[in-house]
Amino acid sequence: MALKIVKGSIDRMFDKNLQDLVRGIRNHKEDEAKYISTCIDEIKQELKQDNIAVKANAVCKLTYLQMLGYDVSWAAFNIVEVMSSSKFTYKRIGYLAASQCFHESTDVIMLTTNQIRKDLSSPNQYDTGVALTGLSCFVTPDLARDLANDIMTLMSHTKPYIRKKAVLIMYKVFLKYPESLRPAFPRLKEKLEDPDPGVQSAAVNVICELARRNPKNYLSLAPLFFKLMTSSTNNWVLIKIIKLFGALTPLEPRLGKKLIEPLTNLIHSTSAMSLLYECVNTVIAVLISLSSGMPNHSASIQLCVQKLRILIEDSDQNLKYLGLLAMSKILKTHPKSVQSHKDLILQCLDDKDESIRLRALDLLYGMVSKKNLMEIVKKLMLHVDKAEGTTYRDELLTKIIDICSQSNYQYITNFEWYISILVELTRLEGTRHGHLIASQMLDVAIRVKAIRAFAVAQMATLLDNAHLLTGNTQRNGICEVLYAAAWICGEFSEHLEDPLSTLEAMLRPKVATLPGHIQAVYVQNAAKLFATVLRGQEGAPADRTVAQETSQLLIDRLPLFVQSANLEVQERASCILQLVKYIQKLQQKDVEVAEEVTALFAGELNPVAPKAQKKVPVPEGLDLDAWINEPPSESESEDEGRKPKGKAVFAKEESKHTKPRYTEVDEKELAKRREVRKAEQANNPFYIKASPSSQKVYQDGVGVEHIPVVQIDLSVPLKVPDQYVKLEEERRQKDKADKKKKDKKKRREKGEKGRRRKGDSGPESEEDITPAHMVDITTEEMPENALPSDDDEKDPNDPHKALDIDLDKPLADSEKKLPVRTHRPDEVLRSPVDDGEGVEVVPELKKKSGKEKKDKKKDKDRKKSKEEKKKKKHKHEEGENLMGAGSEVPVQSEDSNEVAAPPPATTTNEEAAKVSEAPSASTPEAVSGMAVVPPDSEPEEAKDTEPEDTKSSKHKKKKQKKEKEEKEKKKKKKHHHHHHHSDGAGDESVQNGNVEEEEPLPPMSNYALLAENSYIKMMCDIQGNLQDGSQVVVSVIFENKCDSFIKAMEFNVLDSLNSKLQRPEGAGPHDGLTVPFQLPPGISNEARFVFSVQSIVMPQKLKGTLTFIVKTDDSSTHEKLDFKLHFTCTSYLITTPCYSDAYAKLLESGDLKGSSLKLEGVSQPFHHLLARICFHHHFSVVERIGSCASMYSRSIQGHHVCLLVKTADQTVSIDAKCDEPGLLGNVLDEIKLTFSQC
Amino acid sequence: MIKAILIFNNHGKPRLIRFYEYFAEDLQQQIIRETFHLVSKRDDNVCNFLEGGSLIGGSDYKLIYRHYATLYFVFCVDSSESELGILDLIQVIIFFILVFVETLDKCFENVCELDLIFHMDKVHYILQEVVMGGMVLETNMNEIVGQVELQNRMEKSEGGFSAAPARAVSAVKNMNLPEMPRNINIGDINIKVPSLSPF
């Protein structure tokens, strides 16, 4: 052995170290790969040595090779070996390598748990530090779960160096093991005020990162952050906090108001550009969130714009870029303030830096007006000419078109100008946006009738010069323009001066090289032109030869297209060819054919919005459901049809008089839809979630004023008339101005155009259809989509925009955060077969956007009913003694089990107790107006209290203090790991916790004992399903209490008429459900079962059985456990916040029936009382004034339940109203029961 | 959050990579290539922000970089980081590498690629004191210097990993590497140490 070591160290002298390796690679530039492969072989040899120094050296080299892209995962085990070296030098190398190449699927990670734990508790702070740093890069859910406690302990380490790393890594732990968030949060919060700035900064960092994904949960920390913001001098911390506020303000405008002043001060005082910039950004965010209600912040806006101007004018390109970036945010809400800096922004267009030019372009979009459009576009056109790279040029091109076409060409006063710009743009070589130009040409030519003559002339020129566009052999997108040109010339050929030559141009052999779809249009429109030529010639019979020559031309040229490889071209060409041949025959017989030929293409094509068809009003007296043999009235359908068969004259008239009716009805219909949608939104939990003021929106109709979306909806229809007015004004002004201008002729044309647009083409097509189209999008339940179609002036949109983004992001994150989620992998491991069973029908995966909030709700609810169950359990134990004599014993044994577990952090519990004061702040107006405290926030360490409660239940009436002490003791003994089910139950409550000075609440917990025997214990929690009024979800925790493996668990319930267990399809009504996991000794896991319930008015009990197999080493036995599921009426209630005005309306409506309840001898403080009602019975406080509070809740089937709770001299009177008296009675009974127990 | 820190040279050769999110090796190389492609075609006098590459991040991510001597220092960050703050952080890191180089061997006066090439591990250790798991750990220069120093001292007290640095340096001195810039003044980069702490 000794010899071996000596040999190893001698070998080592010849080993390459990292530097040698690098040098070698540099010296083998020619055959690098080969050299490296020999090096890898050497490394493999080195790794086989017993000498740790050799191994470390090899691992170090591998780290370098990993950087070069070599997969070194094969050496993972060796890396672990090096990590576990006792020498810091090697350990550090090992951890570095691990952090570079370990990831979740690296299987040796499992082996590292103990090593890391050892390092974490090492007396050497750098061992700990290195372990923390490494862990931060490769932490897996398993590692997070196993080490969460150790890291939490380190958060209170004496060395700040360790503390800050421990705090920071908690974020990663939360991500991987969401259940840890709740228990760790109090300590994390505490670290915000750590004496060490580094630790403080780390805590801010973590909380900001958490809050960014889920801002709502952190609103309650606002006062604390506010304090930090005004006291901290660390710019990093300040920036983080200010950024966080930027995310919070959209949720809480009152916060914004408070922020403006300190932020303004900072803006004035700071010399750090980064801080200044973030302040400006957050002020902008605040102003955006306030903009609807508070117009008098122009000073702040001015300040921001002014500061941004300074940034933009700075010679530092970075500041310039950021200035423009922030400016574009202001632009959305306060375009006017930005417009005054047009000069500066135009200047930025000349910047040499492309990023800056692109930013400036973005800004231009919002800055155009009728007055400056031409000027701006002219400038852009100059840039197009100068632009070197095609990407930037394409960007310019799309921007020009965007700018011009925005809101229905709102800013274009002269369409001739626009057409010529478009034609100009076709000169661009190699652009990808030919189709964009083409569609603009078509759009303008179709919608703006007055422009057609001009457009046709221009298009004819284009067609004539088609070779210029296609001359370049490289297929560029610009030839798409010819598609538009050909169609316009054909369709509006009556405006052509010389149709014959255009026809000739369209039939040139060169055309055959164009893409098929363009050729097809050429052929079709050649036929249209042919018709025009014929008609033109027939007026003058002398020129009959011309007509015949034209036919001959077609007959000569068309065969080329008949041979086309493109089917469409072929078909059209051969069709038309035959037609022309026939016409030629007729011509030879001197028959007048022009009229017939023209009739082929008679009628006008009008633009139709993509969804216009849906908007067609149902004529009076027409029942669409009874359509048999009753043809709908012709005229209606023809309006809308693209090609009316009647004569063009008629079609026009018809559309004129049908039109007003069309919009009118439409408007009504819209209103109706809007109502329906409002109702739907109000009821739709997913929707609510997406709204910034989500909490406010719950009752149908009543709380609707709170929905910002409504404002959008209203404003959209309004926009149309508004536009009209503007147009009219514009036109008048222009007419006046026109006289003064030089180019009278042109102007007159334009004036006429405007008039016609408004009076004629407008009503007929574009003006009504386009807005209808926009409205349509909004009515599609897709408010996000509606946004782009709205203009920048619409302030209410912007909080939404910001919020939409906000919501999308947290999803990925919150998926990880679901408390149940992390169990899943375990379950899958344990019984992959059963997993697909669909027992857990909880609608977790239903809707992405909805998920996060819903889950939180669920958590909350579950927590509450958990607590409620707890109470019930006590009752059972004390009164009926339902659980039998055994119940006391197992609890004890459980306790003793836990004593054995390693000690967790001690302070947590105090922390929790502190947090549990939160409910005292339940009234919305509490705490400096900054913190929004959901009234139902009942933070507690649910699991903690469980055994405690059970044990001490008989002494419940004793002082809470004693209980708390006891609990603390217990907590010390308890292993964290055991708790994760209930710990994860609600992050929210902890974070919502708002420390107030009122007396602390006794802990309340959620899961109630369902049944237990010596093998297994079942805890359950019942909660209503918000989406489905007939569903109740029962979450059951199964805990294996024996030393044997429990498997093949089957959960079965005897259905009643009213309540049924939902079984997978194909299962019989009496079949049990397989629990989708097995339980090793001491392990607990949770399964969910869905019940369908018909009536929720009465409480119910269901009998059920759990059967399972206990497997020991040598035998296995079948066991069963009976239980009784108790569905109380409160488990059908769902905590639903309600606003006081909505609440008042609800009470006024008179639909509710009253009832009341008196409780005598209630000694607890009023806020405890409210908290209990909130927690146990799923109510939320609407308003609290002194010793009187109004509360609200809603059942899963939408019954409103309102309570007025008053207290005086130990007497509590509750007046209640509900639209379902039966339900109310039962709920009141249950409330009474709750209080009789405590 | 910082998603990745990439340091590569003017030719796109990686000198130090640190991903705070898992990417397979080939994807990492692809990201480096893409980033290099994006960054290298930009002039030195344009702004230091780039809206993200397609491989790493997405719309919420930005590339913030500095070009120093022959090296590009690129940070890929999301919107929770302050752009200017990160720029300063890069400055700080460059400064540390300078400090490190100085302590390593007096004969190098500037960050040049060689130091990074031969001491990638050391640079990693410095970086670890500044950024951890994608989050900025420490911005106080003295604190960082102190911790790095202490750890290096610890390593020395254990006998050192090897006599490598000295050997490497001497080897480099003996090598003829014409493409290496000989004289890069520290003055080229405007590191004003006192101005770093308030940014």
Side-chain angles (χ1 to χ4, degrees):
Chain A
M1 187 65 194
L3 188 70
K4 215 173 177 185
I5 292 171
V6 172
K7 187 174 171 281
S9 47
I10 290 173
D11 279 349
R12 220 202 131 199
M13 287 166 59
F14 303 103
D15 286 345
K16 288 195 191 84
N17 61 16
L18 174 61
Q19 283 73 30
D20 299 327
L21 173 76
V22 174
R23 193 172 317 114
I25 293 174
R26 290 174 67 87
N27 289 336
H28 290 79
K29 286 215 168 94
E30 306 300 309
D31 51 351
E32 195 183 289
K34 198 177 146 207
Y35 178 76
I36 289 177
S37 77
T38 60
C39 287
I40 289 180
D41 287 340
E42 283 169 24
I43 289 171
K44 281 184 180 165
Q45 287 306 314
E46 288 166 34
L47 288 174
K48 283 181 192 152
Q49 313 256 340
D50 279 336
N51 187 331
I52 191 71
V54 177
K55 272 188 191 162
N57 184 42
V59 164
C60 187
K61 287 191 278 183
L62 281 179
T63 313
Y64 187 84
L65 293 179
Q66 194 271 344
M67 178 180 79
L68 298 182
Y70 290 87
D71 177 21
V72 298
S73 55
W74 49 269
F77 184 76
N78 302 106
I79 292 173
V80 175
E81 282 181 307
V82 176
M83 278 163 72
S84 54
S85 158
S86 56
K87 275 196 175 183
F88 172 73
T89 314
Y90 304 139
K91 190 183 288 298
R92 182 151 85 150
I93 291 167
Y95 273 105
L96 175 62
S99 68
Q100 289 290 73
C101 60
F102 281 12
H103 51 93
E104 284 199 14
S105 47
T106 306
D107 39 10
V108 295
I109 276 195
M110 289 186 301
L111 305 174
T112 60
T113 316
N114 279 321
Q115 179 57 40
I116 295 173
R117 179 173 288 143
K118 211 176 105 197
D119 289 337
L120 289 182
S121 55
S122 159
N124 180 345
Q125 64 162 331
Y126 292 112
D127 282 350
T128 314
V130 152
L132 284 172
T133 308
L135 188 61
S136 72
C137 292
F138 57 79
V139 60
T140 63
D142 285 336
L143 280 178
R145 194 187 53 229
D146 296 340
L147 296 171
N149 249 325
D150 304 75
I151 298 170
M152 249 172 76
T153 321
L154 290 179
M155 281 168 77
S156 314
H157 199 272
T158 50
K159 296 247 170 53
Y161 178 74
I162 300 300
R163 282 212 301 278
K164 73 181 177 196
K165 287 198 170 193
V167 168
L168 214 53
I169 203 181
M170 278 316 282
Y171 178 66
K172 295 275 173 171
V173 173
F174 295 151
L175 284 183
K176 300 289 177 189
Y177 178 54
E179 287 87 343
S180 60
L181 178 58
R182 231 173 71 81
F185 195 78
R187 191 172 299 187
L188 184 60
K189 209 168 123 188
E190 187 186 278
K191 294 296 154 209
L192 283 176
E193 294 173 296
D194 195 278
D196 184 85
V199 181
Q200 195 185 42
S201 156
V204 169
N205 220 330
V206 170
I207 292 187
C208 287
E209 208 54 53
L210 289 170
R212 203 167 68 92
R213 315 279 176 158
N214 274 314
K216 219 158 27 65
N217 302 342
Y218 300 86
L219 269 175
S220 62
L221 288 179
L224 187 55
F225 276 118
F226 196 80
K227 205 177 98 197
L228 276 178
M229 184 177 79
T230 44
S231 61
S232 176
T233 51
N234 180 340
N235 283 345
W236 276 98
V237 170
L238 281 175
I239 287 177
K240 284 281 172 191
I241 294 175
I242 287 166
K243 271 187 173 278
L244 173 67
F245 277 136
L248 294 184
T249 40
L251 301 174
E252 185 44 78
R254 285 176 295 175
L255 175 62
K257 277 184 227 163
K258 280 223 153 198
L259 281 173
I260 290 261
E261 200 199 322
L263 285 180
T264 320
N265 291 343
L266 265 178
I267 290 177
H268 282 302
S269 63
T270 184
S271 60
M273 273 301 177
S274 43
L275 184 58
L276 172 84
Y277 176 68
E278 296 305 338
C279 286
V280 169
N281 250 334
T282 298
V283 170
I284 293 169
V286 168
L287 292 173
I288 288 171
S289 70
L290 290 180
S291 55
S292 43
M294 307 271 301
N296 50 354
H297 278 298
S298 53
S300 309
I301 275 289
Q302 279 315 311
L303 178 69
C304 288
V305 174
Q306 179 201 331
K307 287 285 175 187
L308 289 179
R309 186 176 175 111
I310 295 173
L311 289 185
I312 296 173
E313 279 172 337
D314 200 286
S315 61
D316 184 341
Q317 297 287 315
N318 293 325
L319 297 183
K320 197 175 278 219
Y321 174 85
L322 293 176
L324 290 169
L325 196 65
M327 204 67 122
S328 65
K329 287 181 198 156
I330 299 185
L331 185 72
K332 285 173 197 154
T333 47
H334 301 80
K336 288 243 171 60
S337 355
V338 181
Q339 269 161 16
S340 54
H341 299 283
K342 199 184 74 192
D343 55 320
L344 189 63
I345 288 155
L346 284 178
Q347 215 175 303
C348 289
L349 279 183
D350 295 325
D351 201 283
K352 56 192 181 302
D353 188 345
E354 192 176 299
S355 324
I356 285 175
R357 288 198 305 253
L358 287 174
R359 286 277 143 238
L361 270 183
D362 278 354
L363 277 171
L364 273 186
Y365 181 80
M367 297 198 352
V368 287
S369 66
K370 288 196 174 95
K371 261 189 224 151
N372 63 19
L373 176 74
M374 287 165 122
E375 176 201 341
I376 288 178
V377 171
K378 193 175 155 202
K379 188 140 192 202
L380 290 179
M381 291 300 284
L382 281 179
H383 282 285
V384 171
D385 286 341
K386 284 193 292 186
E388 59 278 12
T390 43
T391 0
Y392 178 60
R393 211 174 46 184
D394 279 0
E395 189 63 29
L396 273 170
L397 190 153
T398 44
K399 231 9 134 192
I400 290 175
I401 289 180
D402 278 358
I403 286 173
C404 293
S405 62
Q406 63 175 308
S407 26
N408 276 334
Y409 310 102
Q410 193 189 345
Y411 300 115
I412 294 186
T413 47
N414 183 342
F415 278 92
E416 283 174 12
W417 166 83
Y418 187 46
I419 290 279
S420 53
I421 289 287
L422 289 174
V423 171
E424 191 79 8
L425 287 175
T426 62
R427 310 258 149 81
L428 284 183
E429 264 175 43
T431 179
R432 289 176 294 116
H433 293 300
H435 60 94
L436 197 60
I437 304 176
S439 70
Q440 282 291 299
M441 286 172 166
L442 286 172
D443 204 42
V444 172
I446 293 168
R447 287 171 181 238
V448 189
K449 288 192 173 173
I451 197 68
R452 283 178 189 168
F454 181 81
V456 164
Q458 292 286 314
M459 295 304 124
T461 328
L462 262 186
L463 285 179
D464 204 32
N465 300 323
H467 58 281
L468 293 178
L469 300 178
T470 54
N472 228 328
T473 39
Q474 54 169 348
R475 269 291 145 79
N476 51 25
I478 204 66
C479 61
E480 287 290 327
V481 168
L482 293 174
Y483 177 101
W487 190 87
I488 291 170
C489 286
E491 184 63 23
F492 307 120
S493 52
E494 69 269 21
H495 299 293
L496 269 179
E497 270 171 25
D498 187 2
L500 190 52
S501 65
T502 308
L503 179 63
E504 204 274 333
M506 280 168 68
L507 292 172
R508 280 177 200 151
K510 192 106 203 286
V511 172
T513 61
L514 289 171
H517 65 286
I518 298 179
Q519 286 186 53
V521 169
Y522 264 64
V523 171
Q524 183 75 10
N525 285 287
K528 291 184 197 167
L529 281 177
F530 175 58
T532 316
V533 173
L534 285 188
R535 199 176 47 195
Q537 298 311 327
E538 257 164 30
D543 285 347
R544 197 176 299 149
T545 47
V546 179
Q548 288 188 2
E549 275 167 19
T550 316
S551 310
Q552 194 53 49
L553 177 75
L554 280 165
I555 291 169
D556 289 346
R557 300 279 176 86
L558 279 175
L560 178 68
F561 297 102
V562 175
Q563 290 159 13
S564 168
N566 186 302
L567 270 184
E568 178 82 7
V569 180
Q570 206 182 80
E571 191 181 5
R572 291 189 190 212
S574 50
C575 209
I576 289 165
L577 182 61
Q578 291 312 312
L579 185 72
V580 176
K581 279 182 181 161
Y582 180 67
I583 290 168
Q584 196 184 33
K585 260 187 222 158
L586 290 175
Q587 278 174 333
Q588 279 158 359
K589 290 179 198 159
D590 280 351
V591 183
E592 294 263 310
V593 287
E595 205 170 316
E596 276 88 348
V597 179
T598 318
L600 280 175
F601 306 108
E604 197 174 348
L605 298 186
N606 286 324
V608 178
K611 294 185 179 164
Q613 190 63 41
K614 281 188 198 161
K615 295 277 168 186
V616 178
V618 180
E620 260 175 66
L622 172 65
D623 184 2
L624 283 175
D625 295 331
W627 55 283
I628 304 161
N629 289 336
E630 280 192 72
S633 86
E634 275 322 308
S635 64
E636 294 297 334
S637 59
E638 262 180 22
D639 282 3
E640 226 23 68
R642 280 182 60 91
K643 280 199 182 184
K645 279 152 212 149
K647 282 177 193 170
V649 199
F650 272 100
K652 211 168 185 173
E653 264 178 21
E654 272 168 8
S655 52
K656 255 184 194 164
H657 67 234
T658 47
K659 195 258 136 184
R661 185 157 43 108
Y662 173 71
T663 25
E664 224 172 61
V665 180
D666 207 23
E667 214 97 315
K668 270 185 211 159
E669 214 227 357
L670 267 182
K672 221 187 290 164
R673 281 194 193 190
R674 221 178 293 132
E675 281 308 315
V676 173
R677 189 160 43 82
K678 273 184 212 167
E680 234 172 275
Q681 285 168 355
N683 286 327
N684 183 349
F686 295 131
Y687 187 82
I688 286 160
K689 170 186 306 169
S691 142
S693 49
S694 49
Q695 305 217 333
K696 306 170 188 173
V697 197
Y698 271 78
Q699 298 88 353
D700 329 17
V702 186
V704 158
E705 313 81 339
H706 299 296
I707 318 177
V709 184
V710 176
Q711 288 164 337
I712 300 173
D713 294 343
L714 287 174
S715 61
V716 173
L718 280 179
K719 199 174 126 192
V720 183
D722 195 52
Q723 212 177 3
Y724 272 64
V725 175
K726 272 193 196 160
L727 257 177
E728 177 68 7
E729 273 174 13
E730 186 74 18
R731 189 178 56 80
R732 279 182 203 156
Q733 277 178 357
K734 199 149 290 146
D735 280 354
K736 262 188 228 161
D738 280 350
K739 285 167 197 161
K740 295 171 196 163
K741 300 224 169 151
K742 288 180 198 167
D743 192 354
K744 279 185 186 172
K745 195 184 163 193
K746 225 176 183 175
R747 290 290 159 185
R748 216 180 300 132
E749 255 177 44
K750 196 209 306 168
E752 188 182 65
K753 209 176 301 155
R755 212 173 301 135
R756 278 186 68 179
R757 225 188 128 196
K758 198 201 143 278
D760 181 356
S761 90
E764 188 170 70
S765 54
E766 62 173 29
E767 302 295 356
D768 77 314
I769 285 182
T770 323
H773 166 53
M774 284 196 257
V775 171
D776 199 40
I777 294 176
T778 32
T779 46
E780 298 285 278
E781 291 280 316
M782 307 185 296
E784 322 84 78
N785 284 4
L787 289 174
S789 73
D790 277 317
D791 282 297
D792 334 277
E793 297 109 274
K794 306 273 183 286
D795 297 335
N797 293 355
D798 286 297
H800 263 262
K801 250 182 212 169
L803 198 92
D804 281 347
I805 297 163
D806 259 8
L807 270 174
D808 282 345
K809 276 165 210 157
L811 277 179
D813 202 326
S814 65
E815 274 167 14
K816 295 175 208 157
K817 286 195 169 181
L818 297 187
V820 197
R821 264 290 159 108
T822 40
H823 293 300
R824 214 96 323 164
D826 293 5
E827 286 164 25
V828 173
L829 280 179
R830 279 175 206 142
S831 61
V833 192
D834 293 340
D835 202 53
E837 282 272 336
V839 184
E840 287 131 310
V841 202
V842 186
E844 235 167 30
L845 299 166
K846 263 187 188 167
K847 216 176 184 181
K848 264 204 162 183
S849 68
K851 198 156 58 184
E852 178 204 336
K853 164 140 185 207
K854 233 218 90 192
D855 268 278
K856 223 165 284 144
K857 251 198 143 50
K858 225 184 284 165
D859 288 341
K860 229 189 289 169
D861 290 357
R862 192 199 317 155
K863 214 190 324 136
K864 254 162 252 161
S865 56
K866 214 198 281 172
E867 168 64 8
E868 179 194 45
K869 290 283 148 177
K870 180 102 282 147
K871 292 281 110 98
K872 222 157 287 150
K873 191 178 71 184
H874 298 152
K875 186 190 73 183
H876 289 167
E877 279 179 23
E878 283 179 90
E880 309 155 52
N881 206 357
L882 265 180
M883 298 308 156
S887 65
E888 194 79 34
V889 184
V891 173
Q892 296 259 349
S893 74
E894 185 199 54
D895 280 351
S896 55
N897 272 347
E898 280 170 355
V899 174
T906 16
T907 42
T908 326
N909 206 19
E910 287 161 18
E911 219 46 62
K914 211 190 287 173
V915 173
S916 66
E917 293 166 45
S920 52
S922 321
T923 44
E925 61 270 27
V927 197
S928 71
M930 284 182 53
V932 173
V933 187
D936 46 355
S937 57
E938 240 85 342
E940 34 83 66
E941 297 258 54
K943 181 75 181 195
D944 277 352
T945 59
E946 265 170 34
E948 168 64 32
D949 282 358
T950 329
K951 203 179 162 194
S952 62
S953 60
K954 283 175 188 164
H955 325 287
K956 248 286 140 96
K957 281 173 194 163
K958 289 195 180 170
K959 277 171 248 154
Q960 289 149 1
K961 238 189 188 173
K962 191 190 161 190
E963 196 179 293
K964 230 176 82 190
E965 277 166 19
E966 221 177 289
K967 214 176 50 123
E968 267 168 41
K969 265 182 238 155
K970 187 134 300 166
K971 168 78 192 182
K972 280 178 203 164
K973 296 174 198 159
K974 241 171 274 162
H975 191 293
H976 170 74
H977 184 98
H978 283 258
H979 304 265
H980 59 261
H981 291 296
S982 34
D983 280 349
D987 330 341
E988 198 176 54
S989 51
V990 172
Q991 293 127 26
N992 279 335
N994 210 320
V995 184
E996 263 237 330
E997 60 301 317
E998 279 186 84
E999 221 178 306
L1001 257 187
M1004 293 185 269
S1005 112
N1006 219 328
Y1007 278 72
L1009 185 68
L1010 187 60
E1012 66 178 325
N1013 59 17
S1014 53
Y1015 298 107
I1016 195 165
K1017 179 169 151 189
M1018 294 166 73
M1019 309 281 290
C1020 91
D1021 165 40
I1022 304 174
Q1023 62 197 65
N1025 183 344
L1026 195 57
Q1027 285 122 19
D1028 191 334
S1030 61
Q1031 276 192 4
V1032 174
V1033 179
V1034 178
S1035 315
V1036 183
I1037 296 178
F1038 299 91
E1039 184 181 334
N1040 187 345
K1041 292 169 55 188
C1042 60
D1043 300 331
S1044 320
F1045 211 82
I1046 292 185
K1047 57 181 212 172
M1049 284 185 282
E1050 239 184 50
F1051 180 92
N1052 201 0
V1053 167
L1054 201 59
D1055 291 345
S1056 72
L1057 276 179
N1058 193 28
S1059 317
K1060 290 183 172 58
L1061 175 62
Q1062 287 197 357
R1063 297 175 164 87
E1065 259 176 59
H1070 304 295
D1071 293 351
L1073 284 182
T1074 314
V1075 179
F1077 46 78
Q1078 304 176 347
L1079 289 177
I1083 296 295
S1084 58
N1085 208 339
E1086 178 175 346
R1088 296 186 180 184
F1089 305 93
V1090 180
F1091 286 79
S1092 56
V1093 179
Q1094 277 171 358
S1095 161
I1096 61 164
V1097 177
M1098 297 290 288
Q1100 295 156 54
K1101 280 183 186 166
L1102 291 185
K1103 275 187 189 168
T1105 317
L1106 180 80
T1107 57
F1108 52 92
I1109 298 175
V1110 180
K1111 191 167 165 42
T1112 54
D1113 288 340
D1114 42 324
S1115 68
S1116 58
T1117 49
H1118 280 265
E1119 297 289 342
K1120 76 173 199 157
L1121 176 61
D1122 291 328
F1123 56 85
K1124 245 184 205 177
L1125 265 177
H1126 190 174
F1127 292 89
T1128 56
C1129 278
T1130 38
S1131 53
Y1132 303 127
L1133 294 185
I1134 289 178
T1135 314
T1136 313
C1138 178
Y1139 268 71
S1140 50
D1141 46 351
Y1143 187 77
K1145 270 187 204 166
L1146 190 64
L1147 288 180
E1148 279 165 18
S1149 69
D1151 302 335
L1152 309 182
K1153 310 213 168 36
S1155 172
S1156 64
L1157 171 72
K1158 252 205 171 99
L1159 301 168
E1160 303 282 350
V1162 178
S1163 56
Q1164 49 189 308
F1166 189 52
H1167 72 274
H1168 285 190
L1169 185 108
L1170 293 184
R1172 276 186 193 277
I1173 298 178
C1174 286
F1175 187 82
H1176 294 221
H1177 300 283
H1178 308 184
F1179 277 85
S1180 64
V1181 176
V1182 178
E1183 215 168 351
R1184 177 186 161 185
I1185 302 160
S1187 60
C1188 180
S1190 47
M1191 309 182 83
Y1192 175 79
S1193 184
R1194 214 166 78 130
S1195 79
I1196 51 174
Q1197 294 183 357
H1199 305 293
H1200 305 287
V1201 188
C1202 306
L1203 299 184
L1204 183 66
V1205 186
K1206 282 180 260 182
T1207 181
D1209 316 328
Q1210 302 214 337
T1211 305
V1212 178
S1213 67
I1214 300 177
D1215 292 311
K1217 283 194 170 180
C1218 175
D1219 38 12
E1220 176 52 64
L1223 178 70
L1224 183 62
N1226 287 315
V1227 169
L1228 286 181
D1229 286 348
E1230 285 162 19
I1231 292 179
K1232 198 171 171 182
L1233 199 66
T1234 306
F1235 284 99
S1236 70
Q1237 282 171 16
C1238 57
Chain B
M1 289 280 279
I2 300 167
K3 201 169 192 178
I5 297 174
L6 310 174
I7 304 179
F8 44 76
N9 72 359
N10 281 347
H11 307 288
K13 287 247 188 275
R15 291 304 174 222
L16 180 143
I17 57 172
R18 167 91 276 178
F19 287 89
Y20 294 103
E21 201 169 278
Y22 174 68
F23 291 96
E25 274 79 9
D26 48 345
L27 196 54
Q28 289 185 357
Q29 295 301 313
Q30 230 172 309
I31 289 170
I32 296 169
R33 274 196 297 275
E34 191 196 52
T35 313
F36 171 70
H37 185 70
L38 284 172
V39 167
S40 62
K41 59 179 185 199
R42 292 172 64 84
D43 284 345
D44 273 351
N45 53 3
V46 301
C47 72
N48 299 109
F49 312 122
L50 257 177
E51 261 131 273
S54 55
L55 289 172
I56 186 164
S59 61
D60 193 37
Y61 284 85
K62 266 204 185 76
L63 298 177
I64 300 176
Y65 72 98
R66 270 197 193 278
H67 190 195
Y68 178 67
T70 57
L71 292 171
Y72 284 97
F73 295 77
V74 186
F75 276 50
C76 176
V77 303
D78 68 12
S79 60
S80 74
E81 301 294 342
S82 150
E83 289 91 344
L84 294 172
I86 293 292
L87 266 184
D88 287 336
L89 194 72
I90 299 179
Q91 199 79 291
V92 168
I93 288 168
I94 293 174
F95 170 79
F96 280 125
I97 295 169
L98 280 171
V99 171
F100 157 70
V101 167
E102 252 175 82
T103 55
L104 188 76
D105 192 309
K106 295 289 179 208
C107 86
F108 288 97
E109 285 163 357
N110 41 55
V111 175
C112 73
E113 232 192 283
L114 277 184
D115 307 309
L116 281 177
I117 294 176
F118 290 112
H119 303 293
M120 180 200 73
D121 48 342
K122 304 282 188 302
V123 180
H124 264 297
Y125 301 144
I126 295 175
L127 200 59
Q128 282 177 358
E129 296 304 318
V130 184
V131 180
M132 181 176 140
M135 284 178 289
V136 178
L137 178 69
E138 185 61 75
T139 51
N140 181 333
M141 312 258 292
N142 297 332
E143 172 77 14
I144 302 171
V145 173
Q147 300 297 352
V148 172
E149 269 298 295
L150 281 171
Q151 292 182 57
N152 288 340
R153 224 173 283 163
M154 230 179 107
E155 188 172 303
K156 252 177 221 155
S157 72
E158 285 179 351
F161 175 44
S162 63
R167 255 165 69 192
V169 167
S170 61
V172 170
K173 274 191 230 159
N174 300 334
M175 256 193 305
N176 192 18
L177 298 165
E179 81 270 25
M180 296 314 301
R182 286 287 168 199
N183 285 315
I184 305 160
N185 274 329
I186 306 179
D188 279 355
I189 177 170
N190 48 351
I191 293 191
K192 297 167 209 126
V193 181
S195 74
L196 279 171
S197 35
F199 280 16

